[in-house]
């Protein structure tokens, strides 16, 4: 986040909704068939190396991967989310940190996923975030990014009855693909889908990329 105020807004908002987020979203992979398939691709590409779940929230994606035998490190901005993830998914490791300053060594991860975490970045922050993801990936490491498609920005001041202050940035598929290329990735697959009935009704975009 480009300034401490915005960084704090996102962190505080997710701290507030963490427990309810876990209750409402923690089981979503049960109906997200495409997500499970793409996560399987990432797991296979990691070839036994460590997979990073960047913006892991309550850890359900990291937990799913760990349940399949993968070594996983989840990273989230919200300390409450990190503690919740540790409680719910002891088979994975979790660290507190943000996408612009990942708490990881150069080349630490064989693969990484960033599922709906870049949506809280300002447009100018996407390129530095992708450069940071490239830093922590091994050469030829795989990255999966998912986000809401469009050009709007939705600001929430109330979320499930909790007072929050957080922006959701929608992005065009080719815009994000171009930024990934600029950051040093080769995009190998572009996918779009409509929302499932159980989730927020937005179009979803996925990019599967390889670190150059």
């Amino acid at each position: 986040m480009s300034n401490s105020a915005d960084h704090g807004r996102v962190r505080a908002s997710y701290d507030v909704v963490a427990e309810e987020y876990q209750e409402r979203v923690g089981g979503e992979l049960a109906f997200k068939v495409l997500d499970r398939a793409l996560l399987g691709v990432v797991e296979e590409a990691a070839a036994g190396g460590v997979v990073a779940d960047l913006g892991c929230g309550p850890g359900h994606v990291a937990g799913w991967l760990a349940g399949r035998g993968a070594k996983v490190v989840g990273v989230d901005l919200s300390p409450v989310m990190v503690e919740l993830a540790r409680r719910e998914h002891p088979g994975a490791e979790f660290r507190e940190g943000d996408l612009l300053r990942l708490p990881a060594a150069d080349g630490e991860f064989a693969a990484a996923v960033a599922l709906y975490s870049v949506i809280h970045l300002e447009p100018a922050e996407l390129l530095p975030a992708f450069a940071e993801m490239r830093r922590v990936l091994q050469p030829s490491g795989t990255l999966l990014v998912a986000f809401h498609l469009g050009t709007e920005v939705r600001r929430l001041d109330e979320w499930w009855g909790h007072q929050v202050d957080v922006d959701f940035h929608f992005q065009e598929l080719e815009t994000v693909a171009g930024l990934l290329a600029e950051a040093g990735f080769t995009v190998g697959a572009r996918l779009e889908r409509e929302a499932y009935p159980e989730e927020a009704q937005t179009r979803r975009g996925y990019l599967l990329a390889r670190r150059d």
Side-chain angles (χ1 to χ4, degrees), residues 135-210:
R135 178 186 70 80
V136 301
L137 279 171
Q138 299 168 6
S140 299
T142 296
L143 174 66
L144 173 65
V145 183
F147 47 94
H148 303 286
L149 291 172
T151 58
E152 67 179 294
V153 179
R154 294 185 186 179
R155 170 164 287 190
L156 291 188
D157 56 18
E158 186 274 335
W159 194 1
W160 299 323
H162 301 281
Q163 184 177 351
V164 298
D165 184 9
V166 63
D167 295 335
F168 293 76
H169 294 265
F170 290 46
Q171 300 289 342
E172 298 284 7
L173 198 71
E174 290 307 316
T175 299
V176 179
L179 291 169
L180 283 168
E182 189 174 349
F185 288 91
T186 297
V187 176
R190 297 163 166 83
L191 298 169
E192 299 182 24
R193 69 166 173 85
E194 300 295 336
Y196 295 116
E198 300 92 337
E199 64 187 358
Q201 296 300 293
T202 63
R203 283 185 57 76
R204 312 299 175 104
Y206 301 82
L207 293 167
L208 193 64
R210 185 188 73 253

Side-chain angles (χ1 to χ4, degrees), residues 64-86:
W64 186 86
L65 287 165
R68 290 167 56 89
K71 292 174 283 189
V72 191
V73 173
V75 177
D76 201 83
L77 179 64
S78 160
V80 179
M81 283 288 197
V82 169
E83 288 305 314
L84 182 58
R86 288 170 177 159

Side-chain angles (χ1 to χ4, degrees), residues 109-153:
F109 305 122
V113 301
L115 304 185
Y116 307 100
S117 51
V118 300
I119 62 175
H120 299 303
L121 297 174
E122 296 291 332
E125 296 170 329
L126 288 172
L127 181 56
F130 293 146
E132 180 71 347
M133 293 178 195
R134 184 183 187 279
R135 178 186 70 80
V136 301
L137 279 171
Q138 299 168 6
S140 299
T142 296
L143 174 66
L144 173 65
V145 183
F147 47 94
H148 303 286
L149 291 172
T151 58
E152 67 179 294
V153 179

Side-chain angles (χ1 to χ4, degrees), residues 48-64:
V50 181
V51 181
D53 181 6
L54 305 176
C56 64
H60 55 295
V61 171
W64 186 86

